[in-house]
Amino acid sequence: MASADHQMEAGCPSPTSSPSSPLSSRRTKSLLQDSKEEEWDSTCYDITKLTYWTAFTMIEGSAWENKALWGSIGRSYVVSLFMAALTWFTPYATLISSTSLMKMGTFLTVFIGFMLGFFISSSIERWYHATDAFMQLLDAVRKLQMQLAALGVAEHYVSTITRYGMLSAWLLNLNLHLHCHCRPGMQIEQDDVDDQEHIQELWETLDRFRPHLTTPNEKVTLMQYNDSYALIWTWVASLIGRMAHDGDIPPMASPTYGRILDLIQQAFASLRDARTPFHVKAPFVYIHTLVILVHVNGILNALLFGIQVGGTFMFTAQTPDEAANINLDVKDTSTKVTELLVAFCVQMIAPALYLTLLDASLCMSQPFKFQDAKIPLMRLLVDCENDLASAQQIAAEPPLWKKPKFKTAT
């Protein structure tokens, strides 16, 4: 959606489509220099265009791109056509009150509006919470590097700790996004993503993207565990303890050591928060009730609209003599057509919008399963790697003073 210039200003990857195209693609080449795969970023778009009617042309990445959604809408129209044909062959269908049909079709809207509004609010909150948790994980790695640089810790220790931190973040990203579906209703969800086959696939993907993050011995050890991204921080805590014992950092009883451990605990806690949308879904009883209400509302309104279509066409097909026999005024034709247009908006367009909101909220509630609401973890990872590399270069060559060095009494 966004133009190339705007995405570069926002720090987002440039689209692969030409800048002159009316709708720039957000399916950009991966930020990984060694990868030729596409990386979807649902947060890179030109928000200024959404205030104009050009928003109607922005289809890619929206809920309207979901074929399952259009399938449900199409079935509603089929039901309406079937009901209209049935009404056509029903005697005295022209006497059906349009007002009664309208009232009957709107009695579920209050319940749907309340439940759907709550679910959308909860879904977007979970999306932001998961994104914030992942950013806290990366911030913890940056802060650890800064703490160690301030103490003048040996470069190989700093490199090892930051490497472990990025390894944890990469494993978490791959664990969450390895089997990301395209859109709701398009694929069947996999029950077990922690078996040996998936673990092997995860590490093969890591070797293809960032082979330097782990040594062969570390890989053999970590591959034995499903939650290796979390267990890595046990190594980090153990290494920090060893450094305190050897005098490379202040001793364990010092506030500085406690501060460093707080950063490690912050990173560990953020792992749990980032995985919450992956492990904990909204209660089935709530989601199932909401989905059933939305579909029942769509089916009911499709039936009622079909009745109204059939009755209106029968009314317009009446001759003056036939209309007089059943006390109808042929001058009411314009009124009937107007009521039909209003019924189309209320009974066909409104249920379709409810389905669209449901589709969007389902995507946001599970950002690690559906591409349209995918959290751009890859971009955040690469940004963090660049920050760490820049900070390491800056810390290695202070402009007006010598590098700090924490020294213990000998």
Side-chain angles (χ1 to χ4, degrees):
M1 291 182 184
S3 64
D5 294 339
H6 178 81
Q7 287 196 349
M8 292 180 66
E9 292 175 0
C12 300
S14 302
T16 55
S17 59
S18 61
S20 60
S21 61
L23 182 62
S24 298
S25 174
R26 284 183 292 136
R27 291 192 182 277
T28 59
K29 289 297 181 182
S30 174
L31 293 171
L32 301 173
Q33 296 179 356
D34 54 353
S35 172
K36 296 182 180 180
E37 297 186 2
E38 292 182 344
E39 168 67 6
W40 175 265
D41 193 339
S42 62
T43 63
C44 280
Y45 55 90
D46 189 351
I47 197 171
T48 59
K49 293 184 178 180
L50 297 179
T51 58
Y52 300 97
W53 284 10
T54 53
F56 290 106
T57 65
M58 298 178 178
I59 303 300
E60 185 177 6
S62 67
W64 301 108
E65 202 179 15
N66 189 357
K67 295 181 180 179
L69 173 64
W70 286 108
S72 297
I73 296 175
R75 284 188 286 271
S76 297
Y77 281 91
V78 171
V79 171
S80 294
L81 291 176
F82 174 78
M83 201 64 193
L86 187 63
T87 305
W88 179 268
F89 296 102
T90 303
Y92 303 104
T94 54
L95 299 177
I96 298 176
S97 173
S98 301
T99 305
S100 299
L101 293 177
M102 293 285 291
K103 291 181 179 179
M104 188 181 302
T106 57
F107 83 98
L108 284 177
T109 55
V110 176
F111 304 100
I112 295 175
F114 175 77
M115 296 184 67
L116 191 56
F118 178 80
F119 183 52
I120 292 175
S121 176
S122 174
S123 299
I124 194 66
E125 183 179 354
R126 285 163 61 91
W127 192 93
Y128 278 116
H129 185 72
T131 306
D132 182 67
F134 194 82
M135 294 182 69
Q136 287 183 10
L137 170 63
L138 299 180
D139 285 343
V141 179
R142 293 185 178 98
K143 292 176 182 178
L144 276 173
Q145 184 195 43
M146 184 177 295
Q147 286 275 351
L148 299 179
L151 295 173
V153 175
E155 185 176 343
H156 68 277
Y157 280 134
V158 179
S159 298
T160 300
I161 291 176
T162 55
R163 178 172 64 85
Y164 281 164
M166 294 309 302
L167 176 60
S168 173
W170 270 98
L171 288 175
L172 176 64
N173 172 47
L174 295 177
N175 184 273
L176 295 176
H177 281 155
L178 193 59
H179 298 281
C180 189
H181 299 168
C182 292
R183 293 175 184 87
M186 302 303 295
Q187 294 182 357
I188 299 177
E189 184 176 353
Q190 301 184 25
D191 295 330
D192 187 6
V193 294
D194 288 332
D195 56 17
Q196 288 300 319
E197 180 181 354
H198 287 87
I199 294 175
Q200 182 67 30
E201 184 180 359
L202 183 148
W203 282 95
E204 290 176 355
T205 306
L206 179 66
D207 289 340
R208 187 171 70 252
F209 287 167
R210 289 295 187 269
H212 64 276
L213 287 179
T214 180
T215 64
N217 292 335
E218 293 170 347
K219 179 179 177 180
V220 171
T221 302
L222 293 174
M223 285 186 66
Q224 303 176 28
Y225 305 96
N226 297 332
D227 55 346
S228 55
Y229 52 85
L231 297 177
I232 291 174
W233 290 99
T234 304
W235 282 353
V236 176
S238 177
L239 178 58
I240 291 296
R242 185 71 235 182
M243 291 165 60
H245 180 271
D246 295 341
D248 294 292
I249 61 174
M252 296 181 180
S254 65
T256 303
Y257 180 84
R259 172 59 181 164
I260 295 176
L261 281 189
D262 284 341
L263 292 176
I264 297 175
Q265 292 172 357
Q266 172 188 329
F268 187 82
S270 64
L271 294 173
R272 178 199 58 197
D273 294 337
R275 285 181 59 87
T276 298
F278 186 81
H279 280 301
V280 183
K281 304 176 185 177
F284 174 77
V285 62
Y286 183 89
I287 299 300
H288 185 260
T289 303
L290 174 59
V291 171
I292 292 298
L293 283 177
V294 172
H295 286 300
V296 168
N297 180 68
I299 295 172
L300 176 62
N301 278 277
L303 291 172
L304 296 176
F305 181 71
I307 295 174
Q308 190 149 345
V309 169
T312 301
F313 276 91
M314 284 190 65
F315 183 86
T316 56
Q318 294 283 346
T319 64
D321 293 337
E322 292 173 340
N325 291 334
I326 55 177
N327 298 323
L328 290 178
D329 188 356
V330 294
K331 296 181 180 179
D332 293 337
T333 302
S334 60
T335 303
K336 285 287 186 180
V337 173
T338 302
E339 291 177 348
L340 182 63
L341 293 176
V342 173
F344 176 75
C345 295
V346 175
Q347 297 175 340
M348 299 303 293
I349 295 181
L353 294 178
Y354 284 137
L355 276 172
T356 305
L357 290 173
L358 178 64
D359 178 88
S361 57
L362 286 174
C363 285
M364 290 185 295
S365 67
Q366 293 295 310
F368 303 122
K369 293 187 181 295
F370 303 124
Q371 288 278 8
D372 286 343
K374 181 180 178 181
I375 298 175
L377 301 186
M378 194 80 77
R379 173 161 58 87
L380 299 178
L381 281 168
V382 175
D383 288 345
C384 183
E385 289 177 342
N386 293 335
D387 291 346
L388 293 174
S390 300
Q392 185 175 2
Q393 293 177 358
I394 290 294
E397 299 178 359
L400 301 174
W401 59 89
K402 294 182 179 181
K403 291 178 57 177
K405 178 68 175 179
F406 176 77
K407 297 181 179 179
T408 56
T410 56

